[in-house]
mmCIF file of all heavy atoms in Angstrom:
data_model
loop_
_atom_site.group_PDB
_atom_site.id
_atom_site.type_symbol
_atom_site.label_atom_id
_atom_site.label_comp_id
_atom_site.label_asym_id
_atom_site.label_seq_id
_atom_site.Cartn_x
_atom_site.Cartn_y
_atom_site.Cartn_z
ATOM 1 N N HIS A 90 43.932 75.990 -146.590
ATOM 2 C CA HIS A 90 44.326 74.778 -147.088
ATOM 3 C C HIS A 90 45.400 74.024 -146.182
ATOM 4 O O HIS A 90 45.775 72.870 -146.460
ATOM 5 C CB HIS A 90 44.860 74.948 -148.458
ATOM 6 C CG HIS A 90 43.721 75.285 -149.499
ATOM 7 N ND1 HIS A 90 43.208 74.364 -150.270
ATOM 8 C CD2 HIS A 90 43.047 76.411 -149.596
ATOM 9 C CE1 HIS A 90 42.195 74.949 -151.063
ATOM 10 N NE2 HIS A 90 42.156 76.192 -150.581
ATOM 11 N N TYR A 91 45.933 74.711 -145.231
ATOM 12 C CA TYR A 91 46.975 74.018 -144.408
ATOM 13 C C TYR A 91 47.126 74.353 -143.012
ATOM 14 O O TYR A 91 47.942 73.773 -142.241
ATOM 15 C CB TYR A 91 48.383 74.209 -145.129
ATOM 16 C CG TYR A 91 49.100 75.447 -144.715
ATOM 17 C CD1 TYR A 91 50.089 75.337 -143.800
ATOM 18 C CD2 TYR A 91 48.784 76.625 -145.256
ATOM 19 C CE1 TYR A 91 50.855 76.507 -143.387
ATOM 20 C CE2 TYR A 91 49.466 77.782 -144.927
ATOM 21 C CZ TYR A 91 50.515 77.677 -143.885
ATOM 22 O OH TYR A 91 51.176 78.806 -143.431
ATOM 23 N N TYR A 92 46.362 75.332 -142.394
ATOM 24 C CA TYR A 92 46.544 75.725 -141.043
ATOM 25 C C TYR A 92 46.209 74.638 -140.075
ATOM 26 O O TYR A 92 46.662 74.707 -138.906
ATOM 27 C CB TYR A 92 45.639 77.007 -140.703
ATOM 28 C CG TYR A 92 46.219 78.337 -141.188
ATOM 29 C CD1 TYR A 92 45.407 79.445 -141.241
ATOM 30 C CD2 TYR A 92 47.468 78.471 -141.660
ATOM 31 C CE1 TYR A 92 45.856 80.657 -141.640
ATOM 32 C CE2 TYR A 92 47.999 79.697 -142.091
ATOM 33 C CZ TYR A 92 47.124 80.750 -142.125
ATOM 34 O OH TYR A 92 47.577 81.983 -142.516
ATOM 35 N N GLY A 93 45.633 73.616 -140.472
ATOM 36 C CA GLY A 93 45.358 72.479 -139.553
ATOM 37 C C GLY A 93 46.458 71.482 -139.555
ATOM 38 O O GLY A 93 46.450 70.488 -138.750
ATOM 39 N N LEU A 94 47.490 71.674 -140.394
ATOM 40 C CA LEU A 94 48.540 70.558 -140.543
ATOM 41 C C LEU A 94 49.331 70.414 -139.311
ATOM 42 O O LEU A 94 49.567 69.276 -138.821
ATOM 43 C CB LEU A 94 49.316 70.892 -141.843
ATOM 44 C CG LEU A 94 50.455 69.916 -142.073
ATOM 45 C CD1 LEU A 94 49.947 68.472 -142.241
ATOM 46 C CD2 LEU A 94 51.297 70.335 -143.258
ATOM 47 N N ILE A 95 49.893 71.514 -138.810
ATOM 48 C CA ILE A 95 50.811 71.508 -137.708
ATOM 49 C C ILE A 95 50.164 70.810 -136.440
ATOM 50 O O ILE A 95 50.710 70.032 -135.717
ATOM 51 C CB ILE A 95 51.404 72.856 -137.377
ATOM 52 C CG1 ILE A 95 52.416 72.757 -136.100
ATOM 53 C CG2 ILE A 95 50.336 73.875 -137.007
ATOM 54 C CD1 ILE A 95 53.710 72.032 -136.461
ATOM 55 N N GLY A 96 48.818 71.145 -136.299
ATOM 56 C CA GLY A 96 48.063 70.536 -135.210
ATOM 57 C C GLY A 96 47.907 69.057 -135.387
ATOM 58 O O GLY A 96 48.005 68.264 -134.446
ATOM 59 N N LEU A 97 47.674 68.618 -136.625
ATOM 60 C CA LEU A 97 47.394 67.179 -136.960
ATOM 61 C C LEU A 97 48.723 66.408 -136.711
ATOM 62 O O LEU A 97 48.821 65.387 -136.087
ATOM 63 C CB LEU A 97 46.930 67.028 -138.330
ATOM 64 C CG LEU A 97 46.780 65.572 -138.750
ATOM 65 C CD1 LEU A 97 45.785 64.859 -137.826
ATOM 66 C CD2 LEU A 97 46.303 65.463 -140.219
ATOM 67 N N LEU A 98 49.823 67.027 -137.225
ATOM 68 C CA LEU A 98 51.199 66.404 -136.973
ATOM 69 C C LEU A 98 51.479 66.176 -135.480
ATOM 70 O O LEU A 98 52.018 65.213 -135.046
ATOM 71 C CB LEU A 98 52.236 67.117 -137.681
ATOM 72 C CG LEU A 98 52.119 67.321 -139.243
ATOM 73 C CD1 LEU A 98 53.327 68.055 -139.784
ATOM 74 C CD2 LEU A 98 52.092 66.004 -139.948
ATOM 75 N N SER A 99 51.183 67.309 -134.696
ATOM 76 C CA SER A 99 51.369 67.202 -133.303
ATOM 77 C C SER A 99 50.549 66.110 -132.642
ATOM 78 O O SER A 99 51.035 65.436 -131.631
ATOM 79 C CB SER A 99 51.076 68.547 -132.673
ATOM 80 O OG SER A 99 51.840 69.622 -133.215
ATOM 81 N N THR A 100 49.301 66.013 -133.066
ATOM 82 C CA THR A 100 48.432 64.985 -132.495
ATOM 83 C C THR A 100 48.902 63.628 -132.799
ATOM 84 O O THR A 100 48.947 62.717 -131.915
ATOM 85 C CB THR A 100 46.960 65.202 -132.989
ATOM 86 O OG1 THR A 100 46.510 66.520 -132.480
ATOM 87 C CG2 THR A 100 45.979 64.155 -132.493
ATOM 88 N N LEU A 101 49.358 63.405 -134.024
ATOM 89 C CA LEU A 101 49.925 62.141 -134.453
ATOM 90 C C LEU A 101 51.153 61.713 -133.426
ATOM 91 O O LEU A 101 51.293 60.566 -133.093
ATOM 92 C CB LEU A 101 50.405 62.049 -135.868
ATOM 93 C CG LEU A 101 49.306 62.252 -136.894
ATOM 94 C CD1 LEU A 101 49.885 62.208 -138.365
ATOM 95 C CD2 LEU A 101 48.247 61.086 -136.806
ATOM 96 N N HIS A 102 51.865 62.772 -133.133
ATOM 97 C CA HIS A 102 53.094 62.583 -132.179
ATOM 98 C C HIS A 102 52.577 62.224 -130.826
ATOM 99 O O HIS A 102 52.990 61.260 -130.202
ATOM 100 C CB HIS A 102 53.854 63.910 -132.155
ATOM 101 C CG HIS A 102 54.836 64.012 -131.131
ATOM 102 N ND1 HIS A 102 56.078 63.337 -131.182
ATOM 103 C CD2 HIS A 102 54.903 64.766 -129.946
ATOM 104 C CE1 HIS A 102 56.825 63.641 -130.187
ATOM 105 N NE2 HIS A 102 56.077 64.403 -129.330
ATOM 106 N N LEU A 103 51.483 62.851 -130.329
ATOM 107 C CA LEU A 103 50.913 62.578 -129.054
ATOM 108 C C LEU A 103 50.305 61.204 -129.005
ATOM 109 O O LEU A 103 50.377 60.569 -128.038
ATOM 110 C CB LEU A 103 49.817 63.658 -128.674
ATOM 111 C CG LEU A 103 50.317 64.993 -128.224
ATOM 112 C CD1 LEU A 103 49.209 65.941 -128.150
ATOM 113 C CD2 LEU A 103 51.133 64.904 -126.944
ATOM 114 N N TYR A 104 49.729 60.785 -130.166
ATOM 115 C CA TYR A 104 49.107 59.455 -130.237
ATOM 116 C C TYR A 104 50.239 58.373 -130.254
ATOM 117 O O TYR A 104 49.832 57.165 -130.443
ATOM 118 C CB TYR A 104 48.206 59.358 -131.426
ATOM 119 C CG TYR A 104 46.953 60.140 -131.270
ATOM 120 C CD1 TYR A 104 46.614 60.784 -130.086
ATOM 121 C CD2 TYR A 104 45.903 59.968 -132.229
ATOM 122 C CE1 TYR A 104 45.414 61.414 -129.890
ATOM 123 C CE2 TYR A 104 44.680 60.622 -132.126
ATOM 124 C CZ TYR A 104 44.344 61.386 -130.925
ATOM 125 O OH TYR A 104 43.178 61.981 -130.728
ATOM 126 N N GLY A 105 51.460 58.712 -130.349
ATOM 127 C CA GLY A 105 52.509 57.717 -130.331
ATOM 128 C C GLY A 105 52.850 57.133 -131.695
ATOM 129 O O GLY A 105 53.493 56.099 -131.723
#
Side-chain angles (χ1 to χ4, degrees):
Chain A
H90 292 256
Y91 89 97
Y92 280 167
L94 178 60
I95 181 69
L97 178 59
L98 296 181
S99 303
T100 297
L101 294 177
H102 171 72
L103 285 171
Y104 284 3

